[in-house]
């Protein structure tokens, strides 16, 4: 159901409504020296991350011929309870844009994109001791027809499902992985899982040694100790060579 602050699909938004919020709206209080309580450790409050992600979102929406995101943050959304569905996407919007658009069509308002760690907080779970609940104070929600809105939630909105950009090389992977760690709701991945799935050597060792599936002939040089690899892997087609120091071992490399 569309909120009262969301323009109807028939009305064309004015240029003032189409203008996206600046850094202060995306990261409130980013000029303050101290981060608010409950935020993820290490969040510097630098608005560049949210600003750049927001610009990428607007570019992606424009390429799809969809309207720009409206800034509705001045009128906080209220009334969310434990039974309200909230599917949260953490990090870069680009990989999950089809999911956000489809989710906005099937469950308007339930898909919320979080572009900054300052938009969320972790609190001890009331239902699962030792776990955490993820609360959203701000996010970009998606509605029918590709409409989206930057919104604030008072009180913060509890998340029921989390996924995001857990890729090891993604610059946002650090805070995304920290927010999604040890939650009391299902998650669509984790940084350790992404490390294992995207590690070609580990993948081939598992396929060859545990499932007897053929893999391409593989010669892998590993620098230093890696606890996630067996000491002497027995996998057809895979040979692992450990190097203590890359300097002065050219002959060993050439021999192998």
């Amino acid at each position: 159901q569309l909120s009262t602050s969301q323009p109807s699909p028939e009305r064309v938004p004015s240029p003032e409504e189409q203008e996206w919020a600046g850094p202060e709206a995306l990261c409130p209080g980013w000029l303050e020296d101290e981060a608010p309580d409950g935020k993820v450790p290490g969040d510097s409050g630098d608005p560049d991350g949210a600003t750049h992600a927001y610009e990428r979102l607007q570019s992606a929406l424009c390429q799809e011929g969809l309207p720009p995101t409206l800034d509705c943050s001045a009128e906080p959304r209220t009334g969310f309870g434990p039974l309200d569905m909230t599917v949260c996407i953490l990090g870069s919007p680009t990989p999950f844009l089809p999911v956000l658009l489809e989710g906005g069509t099937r469950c308007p308002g339930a898909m919320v994109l979080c572009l900054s760690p300052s938009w969320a907080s972790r609190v001890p779970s009331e239902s699962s001791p030792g776990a955490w609940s993820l609360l959203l104070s701000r996010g970009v929600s998606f509605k029918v027809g590709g409409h989206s809105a930057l919104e604030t939630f008072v009180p913060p909105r509890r998340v029921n499902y989390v996924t995001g950009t857990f890729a090891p090389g993604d610059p946002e992977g650090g805070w995304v992985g920290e927010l999604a760690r040890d939650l009391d709701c299902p998650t669509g991945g984790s940084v350790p899982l992404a490390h294992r799935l995207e590690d070609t050597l580990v993948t081939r060792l598992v396929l060859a040694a545990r499932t007897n599936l053929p893999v391409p002939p593989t010669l892998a040089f590993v620098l230093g100790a890696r606890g996630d690899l067996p000491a002497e892997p027995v996998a057809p087609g895979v040979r692992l060579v450990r190097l203590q120091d890359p300097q002065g071992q050219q002959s060993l490399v050439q021999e192998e």
Side-chain angles (χ1 to χ4, degrees):
Q1 181 178 358
L2 296 178
S3 67
T4 56
S5 61
Q6 176 73 19
S8 62
E10 292 77 17
R11 185 171 67 86
V12 178
S14 65
E16 290 77 15
E17 291 175 319
Q18 294 182 5
E19 183 177 1
W20 72 277
E24 177 59 26
L26 291 176
C27 290
W30 64 275
L31 292 176
E32 299 175 2
D33 294 332
E34 296 181 358
D37 294 337
K39 302 305 179 182
V40 176
D43 176 22
S44 64
D46 187 347
D48 289 344
T51 301
H52 292 163
Y54 194 93
E55 290 173 347
R56 292 200 303 270
L57 172 62
Q58 302 316 302
S59 176
L61 291 174
C62 180
Q63 292 178 9
E64 295 294 330
L66 298 174
T69 302
L70 301 182
D71 181 15
C72 302
S73 58
E75 300 180 6
R77 293 284 305 278
T78 61
F80 290 100
L83 299 181
D84 291 295
M85 177 59 63
T86 301
V87 178
C88 178
I89 306 293
L90 299 172
S92 175
T94 308
F96 291 93
L97 185 59
V99 178
L100 292 165
L101 296 175
E102 182 66 17
T105 299
R106 295 181 177 270
C107 300
M111 302 292 298
V112 182
L113 175 64
C114 177
L115 298 176
S116 169
S118 64
W119 294 12
S121 60
R122 288 158 52 91
V123 298
S125 173
E126 297 179 356
S127 59
S128 302
W132 299 82
S133 295
L134 186 64
L135 304 179
L136 289 180
S137 58
R138 183 172 294 258
V140 178
S141 60
F142 286 75
K143 278 80 172 182
V144 177
H147 291 271
S148 58
L150 175 64
E151 298 179 317
T152 55
F153 308 109
V154 179
R157 186 172 174 177
R158 184 176 181 272
V159 175
N160 305 105
Y161 181 84
V162 175
T163 190
T165 50
F166 297 104
D170 195 291
E172 298 158 337
W175 67 264
V176 170
E178 180 62 23
L179 280 180
R181 179 176 53 85
D182 300 330
L183 295 180
D184 58 358
C185 66
T187 58
S190 66
V191 172
L193 179 61
H195 273 283
R196 294 190 67 85
L197 292 179
E198 296 189 8
D199 191 314
T200 304
L201 178 57
V202 172
T203 302
R204 293 187 182 184
L205 285 174
V206 171
L207 292 176
R210 300 185 183 180
T211 62
N212 295 320
L213 292 177
V215 300
T218 304
L219 174 62
F221 296 93
V222 179
L223 179 62
R226 281 188 54 177
D228 59 335
L229 297 176
E232 296 182 1
V234 180
V238 179
R239 176 167 175 79
L240 181 63
V241 180
R242 296 183 181 272
L243 302 177
Q244 299 301 324
D245 186 351
Q247 302 298 328
Q249 300 196 45
Q250 290 85 351
S251 59
L252 174 61
V253 173
Q254 292 177 2
E255 179 182 351
E256 294 292 341

